[in-house]
């Protein structure tokens, strides 16, 4: 997934001392559950600002070197919420959606899945996406608009995979194993389904 830098966010700690280092999410299990991977980078060049951005499958949080552990935890939570809010507001148009599908196919399927059309539709209320392999057409439910990008990417990849493998056999799921956020995205959609009390999980059923 493309990196999406966020704007800086003012912090409160005093001026840093010499030295800088990185901290991974492994040292903070609770933080890791909020995103696939969080890396905290301390810098002596930062005095009062905190910023965060996505870098592939990780979230990078930049903080001043002398920030306390308590402040670090607080700001990591703030920045994760800020990034999520920004992503939830981002809505792709049909053209951008089609371009995204092409990039995802190139990244995960070596460009073998080649959709003829990719668009949003408003008549899919019991499934997240659908694909007609004979026509090369992919349709995504408008209900996905505003969801995190990794979820939209998963549904796009799910439908792209159907251009290569029509059913949901082992070969189909092996294709999706290439996407590192498959299980996380399915979990997210499963939660949405549960909240909406839909009769089944479209993300694992659409054809």
């Amino acid at each position: 997934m493309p990196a999406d830098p966020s704007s800086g966010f003012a912090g409160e700690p005093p001026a840093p001392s010499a030295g800088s280092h990185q901290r991974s999410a492994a040292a903070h299990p609770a933080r890791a559950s909020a995103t696939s991977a969080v890396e905290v980078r301390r810098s002596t060049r930062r005095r009062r600002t905190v910023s965060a951005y996505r870098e592939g499958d990780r979230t990078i949080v930049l903080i001043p070197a002398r920030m306390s552990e308590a402040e670090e935890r607080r700001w990591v939570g703030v920045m994760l919420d800020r990034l999520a809010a920004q992503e939830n507001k981002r809505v792709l148009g049909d053209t951008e959606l089609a371009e995204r599908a092409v990039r995802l196919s190139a990244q995960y399927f070596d460009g073998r899945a080649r959709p003829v059309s990719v668009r949003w539709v408003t008549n899919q209320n019991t499934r997240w996406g659908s694909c007609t392999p004979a026509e090369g057409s992919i349709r995504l439910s408008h209900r996905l608009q505003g969801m995190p990008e990794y979820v939209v990417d998963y549904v796009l990849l799910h439908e792209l995979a159907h251009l290569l493998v029509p059913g949901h056999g082992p070969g189909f799921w092996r294709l999706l194993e290439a996407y590192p956020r498959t299980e996380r995205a399915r979990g997210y959609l499963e939660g949405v389904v549960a909240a909406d009390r839909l009769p089944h999980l479209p993300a694992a059923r659409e054809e």
Side-chain angles (χ1 to χ4, degrees):
M1 188 179 300
D4 293 312
S6 73
S7 58
F9 202 64
E12 301 173 355
S17 59
S20 64
H21 60 279
Q22 297 180 1
R23 296 193 178 193
S24 69
H28 305 278
R31 197 177 301 158
S33 65
T35 187
S36 58
V38 178
E39 181 178 322
V40 178
R41 297 179 182 176
R42 290 175 174 261
S43 171
T44 57
R45 307 176 90 177
R46 286 180 173 268
R47 296 186 179 278
R48 297 183 62 85
T49 60
V50 177
S51 62
Y53 60 92
R54 305 295 193 197
E55 186 177 89
D57 201 36
R58 298 181 300 163
T59 300
I60 309 300
V61 181
L62 307 173
I63 66 174
R66 291 185 62 184
M67 180 173 282
S68 70
E69 289 290 329
E71 289 174 318
E72 176 186 325
R73 287 192 297 271
R74 178 168 68 89
W75 280 110
V76 165
V78 167
M79 298 313 293
L80 288 176
D81 289 344
R82 183 184 178 92
L83 283 174
Q86 290 177 343
E87 290 171 349
N88 287 344
K89 292 178 182 177
R90 190 175 295 115
V91 176
L92 302 176
D94 286 349
T95 299
E96 295 171 308
L97 194 65
E99 292 172 349
R100 194 177 195 88
V102 170
R103 290 197 300 271
L104 288 169
S105 176
Q107 182 174 358
Y108 295 103
F109 301 151
D110 296 322
R112 292 181 295 124
R114 300 176 181 176
V116 175
S117 67
V118 183
R119 60 191 175 90
W120 297 107
V121 294
T122 58
N123 61 351
Q124 291 188 160
N125 295 316
T126 59
R127 56 175 59 186
W128 299 116
S130 61
C131 173
T132 305
E135 300 176 359
S137 62
I138 290 175
R139 298 162 297 280
L140 264 58
S141 171
H142 72 288
R143 295 183 304 138
L144 288 163
Q145 294 177 340
M147 290 189 187
E149 289 183 355
Y150 74 90
V151 176
V152 177
D153 284 353
Y154 163 72
V155 178
L156 273 175
L157 282 166
H158 188 115
E159 302 310 328
L160 285 167
H162 277 310
L163 293 178
L164 303 175
V165 180
H168 288 98
F172 173 84
W173 294 110
R174 276 196 297 271
L175 283 175
L176 287 183
E177 287 176 358
Y179 183 55
R181 293 188 171 186
T182 288
E183 291 306 316
R184 185 181 175 205
R186 292 188 66 192
Y188 184 101
L189 292 172
E190 198 169 55
V192 172
V193 169
D196 290 346
R197 298 184 178 181
L198 295 180
H200 60 280
L201 177 60
R205 302 293 183 188
E206 71 260 19
E207 296 292 342

